[in-house]
């Protein structure tokens, strides 16, 4: 689907068309699931999170001011819902190696385990920017919107997170300027 068609669907959804919203969800369901899985660490919780996100998105679609920001807006709902859910869950499992971005498939299994472990040890705000930037390929501007933080703050978090990862990993296979 091209961007023009997608924007047309988003505008229809904002006006209350449930079919248009449903088509958009089909378009983004895999993306939503991947992000949800990174947060929830298991299939059922990720599916539940996606379901909650879809419902909250539908209930609040009329609040979307800029149609071109639909994906980012929906991602923000998903992450805020995930945070709420994670407050209820006491444990954090390691990120499953299958969830790593294709960008890191040349990394050995040992390096992946080190990377997973290092990411898990980061403070939440740093872990979030790393996941959104390198696993979801979002821009600093989009991450800024999702986190409700200035772009300068996001850039600082990314820089600090990369520095922490480099210290922990003591190798340069993750750093991507």
């Amino acid at each position: 689907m091209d961007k023009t068609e997608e924007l047309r669907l988003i505008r229809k959804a904002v006006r209350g068309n449930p079919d248009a919203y449903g088509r958009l969800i089909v378009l983004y369901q895999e993306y939503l699931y991947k992000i949800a899985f990174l947060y929830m660490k298991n299939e059922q919780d990720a599916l539940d999170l996606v379901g909650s996100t879809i419902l909250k998105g539908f209930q609040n679609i009329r609040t979307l001011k800029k149609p071109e920001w639909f994906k980012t807006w929906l991602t923000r709902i998903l992450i805020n819902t995930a945070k709420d859910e994670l407050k209820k869950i006491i444990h954090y499992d390691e990120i499953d190696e299958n969830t790593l971005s294709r960008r890191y498939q040349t990394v050995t299994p040992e390096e992946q385990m080190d990377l997973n472990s290092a990411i898990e040890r980061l403070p939440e705000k740093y872990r979030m920017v790393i996941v959104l930037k390198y696993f979801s390929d979002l821009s600093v501007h989009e991450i800024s919107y999702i986190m409700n933080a200035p772009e300068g703050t996001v850039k600082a978090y990314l820089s600090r997170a990369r520095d922490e990862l480099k210290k922990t990993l003591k190798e340069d296979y993750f750093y991507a300027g």
Side-chain angles (χ1 to χ4, degrees), residues 39-66:
Y39 274 88
M40 304 311 289
K41 315 287 193 287
N42 74 63
E43 183 179 354
Q44 190 56 54
D45 289 344
L47 290 171
D48 290 346
L49 177 60
V50 170
S52 296
T53 300
I54 291 168
L55 179 61
K56 287 179 183 181
F58 184 71
Q59 291 170 337
N60 295 293
I61 188 71
R62 292 179 188 265
T63 66
L64 178 63
K65 302 288 185 231
K66 295 181 179 179

Side-chain angles (χ1 to χ4, degrees), residues 5-172:
E5 174 68 11
E6 183 180 339
L7 283 172
R8 190 181 64 72
L9 278 176
I10 294 167
R11 287 186 184 104
K12 280 184 172 182
V14 169
R15 289 192 301 269
N17 184 320
D19 292 332
Y21 183 78
R23 288 184 58 200
L24 289 165
I25 294 305
V26 168
L27 183 65
Y28 290 114
Q29 65 188 2
E30 186 176 329
Y31 165 80
L32 291 171
Y33 176 78
K34 287 177 182 179
I35 300 297
F37 192 88
L38 284 170
Y39 274 88
M40 304 311 289
K41 315 287 193 287
N42 74 63
E43 183 179 354
Q44 190 56 54
D45 289 344
L47 290 171
D48 290 346
L49 177 60
V50 170
S52 296
T53 300
I54 291 168
L55 179 61
K56 287 179 183 181
F58 184 71
Q59 291 170 337
N60 295 293
I61 188 71
R62 292 179 188 265
T63 66
L64 178 63
K65 302 288 185 231
K66 295 181 179 179
E68 62 274 11
W69 284 86
F70 177 78
K71 180 180 178 183
T72 306
W73 174 80
L74 200 57
T75 302
R76 185 176 187 175
I77 292 172
L78 183 131
I79 289 172
N80 288 336
T81 304
K83 284 180 174 181
D84 292 343
E85 291 301 315
L86 288 173
K87 288 176 188 172
K88 300 173 192 173
I89 299 172
I90 297 170
H91 69 282
Y92 276 96
D93 295 330
E94 285 190 272
I95 295 175
D96 184 275
E97 68 183 67
N98 293 328
T99 64
L100 290 172
S101 170
R102 286 186 200 100
R103 180 182 310 188
Y104 305 106
Q105 285 182 350
T106 59
V107 176
T108 68
E110 293 80 16
E111 290 170 332
Q112 287 179 359
M113 287 174 54
D114 291 344
L115 177 59
N116 292 341
S117 180
I119 290 171
E120 283 301 315
R121 285 192 297 256
L122 290 173
E124 169 62 23
K125 60 188 175 187
Y126 296 167
R127 185 171 48 244
M128 182 186 297
V129 296
I130 291 294
V131 167
L132 292 174
K133 177 72 176 164
Y134 296 105
F135 294 85
S136 300
D137 292 323
L138 295 179
S139 69
V140 168
H141 189 66
E142 291 169 318
I143 296 168
S144 170
Y145 176 81
I146 289 167
M147 294 181 69
N148 198 26
E151 287 184 35
T153 301
V154 171
K155 289 177 183 177
Y157 287 175
L158 277 168
S159 176
R160 291 177 193 147
R162 285 191 300 253
D163 288 345
E164 287 297 315
L165 288 171
K166 284 174 76 173
K167 281 183 213 169
T168 302
L169 297 170
K170 293 184 178 50
E171 294 183 23
D172 211 23

